Amino acid sequence: MSVSNEHHFMSNPVHMNDLKTKIYSYREQERIRNGWLQKRLDTILPKVMKRSGIDLWVVLCKEYNEDPVLTTLVPCAMMTARRTTMLVYHLQHDDTVRRMAITRPGVGLDGYYESMWTNPKGYNWDNSKELMPDGSSVEKKTQPETQFECLNRVIRECNPNRIGINRSDEFAFADGLSSTLYEQFMDCLDDELQSKVCSAENICIGWLETRSEAEIAAYNGIMQIAHAMIDEAFSSRVITPGVTTNFDVKYFMMQESIKLGLIPWFDYEVSIRREGVGEIAEEAVILPGDLLHCDVGFRYLNLCTDTQENAYVLKLGETDAPEYLKDVMRTVNRLQDITISNFKEGRTGNEILAMSRKQAIDEGIEPCIYTHPIGNHGHAAGPTIGLWDMQGGVPVQGDYPMYNDTCYSLELNCRKEIKEWGITIAFGAETDVLFTNDTVYYLAGRQTEFHLVK
C-alpha cells in the first residue's frame, strides 16, 4: 500500500485563540458521548462479538474496582460500578445484541440496557422512591432471587454456545474480572455452563479499538487541539530564551489542558538537546541553538491524543533551523511513511514491525519503532507494533492482527549523527493516524518543519 503526504485527514489548522470554541461544555460532551455509545452498542458490538465466535459476554465488577471496559459500555452518568454491576450481552440469531443489566435500579442504564433483576432477595425496592428517578416501584417479573441467581437464570434462558468473561493472560484490557467475582460466577453455573466459559479478550480488544464513523470524524478536531497547543508552547509567546525553562513550557501545556477541560493522561515532557551536550531531561534554561522536544497527551470526549513534536531556538542572525537538523526531520518523516505503508488489515503488529525495520535499514535509517493503538486509552487495545526495548517483536500483543477503523499513535525515532554538534541523537516524533478502508491518514496532519522560537 502506498502512502503519500496527501493522506491527511484534516481541515484548516486551529490556533490557540480558537481552542475554546473547539471545547464543548460538559453537558454537551455528555450528549455527544452518550449518542456515540448508543450507536456503538448497536453497530460495533454485534460485529466484534460475531467475529470472536462468542455469543454471550458477561462483564462483572464492583464499585471502585471497575473493569477497564466498563466506562466505555455505560452512559456518562454512571461514572463507576454500583455495588456489584453485572452486564450481559447476547448475540442473537439476527446478529443483534440483547443488552441486559443485573444491578440495582436507578443507576443510569435505562434506555441502554434491559433491567433483569426485578425481584431481589434481601432488598426492598418497592417503596424506595429515592432509588427510582421517576418515583415508581419496580415491576416484579420473577420469584425472589439473589443477584447471582438472576445471572444464572439469564444465562440459561439465553442458552449460549460460548460464554466470554474478562480474563486474559496477556491483554490487560481483557483481564478486569476480579478473582473473587470469578469464583462466585463459576459457582453459580452448573457443569455444562462452566464448560462453555472462555476468555472474551477478542471482544474486549475489538470493542475498544474500533472507532465509529462519528468518532473518526471527531478525532481530527481533537488532534487539531493538540497541534495548536504545542504550536503555542513552542513559540516566543511562551518561551523567552535565557529565561524560560523546559519545565515552564511543560507546565504551561499542563495548565492550559486543565483550563480547557482536557484531561492529561500522563505527565507531559519537554526536554532539551544541546550542541556538545546531548539530551537534558532535568529542568534547565532554554538557550539559542537548543533543540526542544515535547511529549503531550490528553483525553477529550473520552478519546486520547499522544503527540511528540520538535522546536528549534534560533540563534542571532538565523531565520530557520540549520539544514543538518532539517535533514534529521526529513529522515524521521521518511520512517513514518515507511511504517504506515506496511499497515494492512490482517497483518500483525510484529509483521508490520519487521517489514518496516527492514525497509528502513535498507534505506540507511537506524530505526526504533514503538507504535501503539490509541483510543479510549492512551496505550490502547489493539496490535502493539514494537516496544523501544523489543525491536525484534512483542510476544502475544504483537501477534494481534490489525483491523480497519482503528487509530494508532505513530511513535518512533531514528538515531542520527549530528557531526556539527559532535553527538548522535535519537530524534523522536509521534502523531496519531487513522487506518480505515485499507488507507492510513495523518489525523490533522503531522510535523514536517520545526517550530521556530525567536
Side-chain angles (χ1 to χ4, degrees), residues 428-443:
E430 184 173 18
T431 192
D432 295 343
V433 300
L434 162 70
F435 178 64
T436 185
N437 297 321
D438 292 317
T439 304
V440 183
Y441 297 87
Y442 290 102
L443 288 169

Side-chain angles (χ1 to χ4, degrees), residues 5 13 17 59 111 116 125 151 254 266 293 307 324 372 375 433 437:
N5 290 345
N17 291 337
V59 179
M116 305 301 293
W125 293 342
L151 177 61
M254 291 285 286
F266 65 88
H293 176 86
T307 316
Y324 56 84
H372 57 85
V433 300
N437 297 321

Side-chain angles (χ1 to χ4, degrees), residues 22-39:
K22 300 285 291 186
I23 308 298
Y24 295 109
S25 69
Y26 183 80
R27 183 174 187 174
E28 187 67 10
Q29 289 184 48
E30 186 175 275
R31 182 192 66 78
I32 293 168
R33 287 177 54 189
N34 287 346
W36 288 355
L37 172 64
Q38 190 74 62
K39 188 71 172 179

